[in-house]
Amino acid sequence: MTERKKPGKLQIMVIILIISAVFLVGTGFAYWERIGNSLNILTMSSYKAEIVEKYRIPSHVNPAESVEKSVNVKNSGTVDILVRAGVKKVFGTRNGEEFIEDKNLDGEMIEIKFASKYWQEGKDGWFYYKDILKAGEMTKEPLMDSYRLSEKAGNEYKGKEGHIVVTMESVLADENGADIWGTEIKQLGIVWPDAPSGKETIVKYCGKEEGFEIQGDGTDLFAMFKNLTPGCSRIQKIEILNSSKENIEIFLHAEEIKQPGISDQQTELIRKLLQDHAMIELQEENDVLYSGAAGKKFREDGENGKISLGNFSPGQKKILTVKLTLSPEMDNRFQSLTAKVKWIFSARGEDGTTVKTEVPVTGDGTEIENWILCLWAGITVFTVAIWLKGRRRKKKT
């Protein structure tokens, strides 16, 4: 009967490592994730206004003869604006395509019939529209609807061309928007509407199996972050609720999303918007949890780039305030731009089990287990290699 040799120390170590690897991989499957999509769509406004004229140039105008000329302003952008218009009246002659003004002639000989219900002439000579011009709409009445040559006009005006030059200025509709013109909206008879109430989004953690649910405007985490303009700020409130029976800690982080079908130039503008111009502040009561660029993926803060939203006992809820501010230095290249950001919530229990969800839930993954398996497999292979090398040396001796 052959005597069985006792295993050496190296053999025992290999056996322990293999058993440990199997144990860790088995317990690693307790860490699981649920993956889905919770998108925030940031849309930049298009800011544009234009003068719309309805006018047929007459061959000549006799004194006291009325000529129809309608002038409106249209808001062809996507944000509400305040409008004022300037009017200059001149006479002159034409040399080919060039009009040459005759400063010896009095432009006041052109008498304009201005509207007065929705337009108000200021002391500065500008005509102010007495309402908010909403996106896509035209002024409710034209600035003017006709003009005539004054009966006082003498023979020196005979054969001359009269020009009515209308200019227009607009600013974003804001309670203090008219300040830049040295006036106030209340002096124009504009009643500023009450600010729209922020739409509150509810993020509910339901348990290990169920993951997270988002209740609100679809799955868009920040429904108020739309139609943005340079220099504006928007505030969104989020209710975080732990409806499970577990004690958990909840985390939040963001990731940029590749948007198919857009040019490289647009992609670079979106990246610049999220990294340089769009600032996010995440706050619970008076505690600031995060303050920085929306596109930094929160890498500088928290574990693995995650922002801790705090510990939640069963049934506990917290109200978070998220403030988005855009830099006023943005130029027209950002108009009508749409940027998407992926927001990911994670919940961690006391036993180390983690649930990661981008609502709605669409699948699951075991990424961390694969890393553990690879690590211990590598250690095991390395140890076995050393053991075999030791055996060869013994045989040679």
Side-chain angles (χ1 to χ4, degrees):
M1 185 173 180
T2 305
E3 184 179 353
R4 188 175 296 176
K5 291 183 179 180
K6 293 182 179 180
K9 292 182 179 180
L10 197 54
Q11 289 174 295
I12 295 173
M13 184 181 299
V14 170
I15 294 170
I16 292 173
L17 284 171
I18 293 173
I19 294 173
S20 299
V22 172
F23 174 77
L24 282 170
V25 171
T27 58
F29 283 103
Y31 181 103
W32 54 277
E33 295 179 329
R34 290 180 178 265
I35 305 298
N37 292 318
S38 175
L39 302 181
N40 178 215
I41 302 174
L42 310 179
T43 59
M44 295 296 300
S45 68
S46 172
Y47 180 69
K48 184 179 179 182
E50 57 186 324
I51 295 173
V52 180
E53 289 191 5
K54 185 179 179 181
Y55 176 54
R56 187 176 64 181
I57 301 175
S59 57
H60 68 279
V61 179
N62 297 318
E65 180 184 354
S66 180
V67 179
E68 291 185 3
K69 181 180 175 71
S70 174
V71 177
N72 278 285
V73 176
K74 182 179 180 180
N75 181 356
S76 51
T78 59
V79 288
D80 299 346
I81 58 176
L82 303 176
V83 171
R84 71 175 183 176
V87 177
K88 182 180 179 181
K89 300 174 288 186
V90 296
F91 285 97
T93 56
R94 186 168 294 280
N95 183 9
E97 296 294 326
E98 182 183 6
F99 175 79
I100 303 173
E101 180 183 352
D102 188 343
K103 296 185 178 180
N104 294 319
L105 299 179
D106 186 6
E108 293 304 314
M109 290 295 106
I110 301 175
E111 298 176 346
I112 298 176
K113 184 181 179 182
F114 290 104
S116 59
K117 183 178 180 180
Y118 283 96
W119 293 91
Q120 174 180 310
E121 185 176 8
K123 295 179 180 180
D124 53 6
W126 287 87
F127 292 85
Y128 291 85
Y129 185 61
K130 299 190 294 182
D131 202 354
I132 296 171
L133 187 55
K134 295 187 177 298
E137 294 186 359
M138 190 176 292
T139 45
K140 295 178 181 178
E141 70 173 353
L143 168 67
M144 54 179 290
D145 54 26
S146 65
Y147 71 91
R148 69 175 189 170
L149 180 64
S150 174
E151 296 176 350
K152 299 178 182 178
N155 290 332
E156 64 271 26
Y157 291 91
K158 189 175 182 180
K160 301 293 184 179
E161 282 191 20
H163 278 208
I164 301 173
V165 182
V166 180
T167 58
M168 179 268 302
E169 289 185 358
S170 63
V171 295
L172 293 174
D174 183 88
E175 193 169 5
N176 301 312
D179 291 355
I180 194 172
W181 293 331
T183 186
E184 298 178 355
I185 61 170
K186 63 182 181 181
Q187 294 178 348
L188 304 175
I190 298 175
V191 178
W192 186 253
D194 294 334
S197 57
K199 299 179 181 178
E200 186 174 289
T201 302
I202 300 175
V203 177
K204 182 166 65 172
Y205 172 72
C206 304
K208 295 178 186 178
E209 297 297 328
E210 299 85 356
F212 286 89
E213 290 182 1
I214 286 187
Q215 302 172 359
D217 193 344
T219 59
D220 194 334
L221 200 60
F222 305 118
M224 293 293 290
F225 295 176
K226 304 291 180 289
N227 220 15
L228 305 169
T229 58
C232 77
S233 293
R234 298 284 175 83
I235 293 177
Q236 173 89 40
K237 290 189 180 294
I238 301 178
E239 178 183 307
I240 311 293
L241 172 63
N242 178 15
S243 65
S244 74
K245 298 179 180 180
E246 307 159 12
N247 291 303
I248 57 170
E249 183 177 5
I250 295 181
F251 301 86
L252 173 66
H253 72 279
E255 293 180 359
E256 296 175 34
I257 297 178
K258 292 183 179 179
Q259 300 183 46
I262 64 174
S263 65
D264 292 341
Q265 184 179 8
Q266 287 176 309
T267 300
E268 183 58 32
L269 281 177
I270 291 172
R271 185 175 294 111
K272 193 172 183 63
L273 168 66
L274 296 175
Q275 294 183 357
D276 299 336
H277 296 296
M279 298 293 115
I280 291 280
E281 184 176 274
L282 185 63
Q283 187 171 339
E284 182 198 355
E285 295 183 348
N286 296 324
D287 295 331
V288 177
L289 305 179
Y290 174 79
S291 180
K296 291 294 185 184
K297 301 184 182 180
F298 300 158
R299 290 304 180 215
E300 297 85 357
D301 301 75
E303 181 184 355
N304 298 324
K306 298 176 183 177
I307 301 298
S308 174
L309 305 182
N311 295 310
F312 290 75
S313 57
Q316 184 179 359
K317 70 176 179 180
K318 296 182 181 180
I319 304 296
L320 302 181
T321 301
V322 184
K323 182 179 181 181
L324 174 71
T325 303
L326 291 190
S327 168
E329 299 176 359
M330 300 172 65
D331 54 44
N332 292 334
R333 295 177 301 162
F334 293 91
Q335 288 193 24
S336 302
L337 195 67
T338 298
K340 296 181 180 180
V341 181
K342 181 188 294 183
W343 297 89
I344 302 171
F345 285 92
S346 306
R348 178 173 299 163
E350 291 181 353
D351 59 357
T353 300
T354 298
V355 180
K356 174 182 175 183
T357 303
E358 307 160 44
V359 185
V361 174
T362 59
D364 55 20
T366 56
E367 181 179 356
I368 203 71
E369 295 85 345
N370 293 332
W371 278 105
I372 293 172
L373 177 60
C374 292
L375 174 63
W376 281 96
I379 294 174
T380 303
V381 170
F382 179 72
T383 306
V384 171
I386 295 175
W387 175 63
L388 291 174
K389 187 175 181 181
R391 289 193 62 183
R392 292 193 193 100
R393 287 180 179 176
K394 286 181 180 181
K395 286 181 179 181
K396 289 180 180 180
T397 58

